[in-house]
Amino acid sequence: EVQLVESGGGLVQPGGSLRLSCAASGFTFSIYDMSWVRQTPGKGLEWVSRINMYGDSVYYADSVKGRFTISRDNAKNTLYLQMNSLKPDDTAMYRCAAVVRGMNYRGQGTQVTVSS
């Protein structure tokens, strides 16, 4: 069974930083590209970032480029998202995502709230 479990969210002031983690299990993590998406009631689902299976190609939404860094540790089956210079507009439920054997999977998410 594919499982994606996020952690690391919380309440942070504008300009602050957080590091999210996503622990993956139930599939061969090292051979799949991974993504982060975020969801809010008002904006819906927004793609944030993607990393290839080797970790040497990364992609970002314009809204987070230069502030967020995606990475992965294939030995630990874990995906990361380092978020710096956070803004109130970054407030959302952050979920890791993968397409495994043709099926879309997302974790339950970790809430990030940016507020003073």
Side-chain angles (χ1 to χ4, degrees):
E1 178 189 4
V2 172
Q3 287 196 330
L4 300 169
V5 181
E6 302 89 342
S7 62
L11 173 64
V12 63
Q13 292 188 340
S17 297
L18 283 173
R19 189 194 196 202
L20 307 184
S21 299
C22 170
S25 61
F27 64 106
T28 307
F29 178 78
S30 61
I31 66 170
Y32 290 96
D33 293 3
M34 297 293 298
S35 296
W36 284 99
V37 297
R38 63 188 182 185
Q39 191 165 16
T40 62
K43 296 181 185 177
L45 192 66
E46 177 188 13
W47 171 77
V48 174
S49 183
R50 181 166 63 91
I51 187 168
N52 74 342
M53 59 181 171
Y54 304 110
D56 59 0
S57 289
V58 296
Y59 310 90
Y60 298 98
D62 287 344
S63 57
V64 307
K65 201 172 293 182
R67 300 187 298 120
F68 290 11
T69 303
I70 191 171
S71 62
R72 64 191 297 162
D73 186 334
N74 285 345
K76 295 182 178 179
N77 288 352
T78 302
L79 176 72
Y80 302 100
L81 186 68
Q82 177 67 43
M83 306 187 298
N84 298 329
S85 302
L86 282 161
K87 305 174 181 180
D89 275 355
D90 295 318
T91 296
M93 181 72 74
Y94 284 74
R95 297 177 169 176
C96 59
V99 179
V100 178
R101 296 184 287 274
M103 294 189 64
N104 289 296
Y105 293 92
R106 287 197 291 267
Q108 293 280 55
T110 185
Q111 178 67 36
V112 172
T113 301
V114 184
S115 175
S116 54

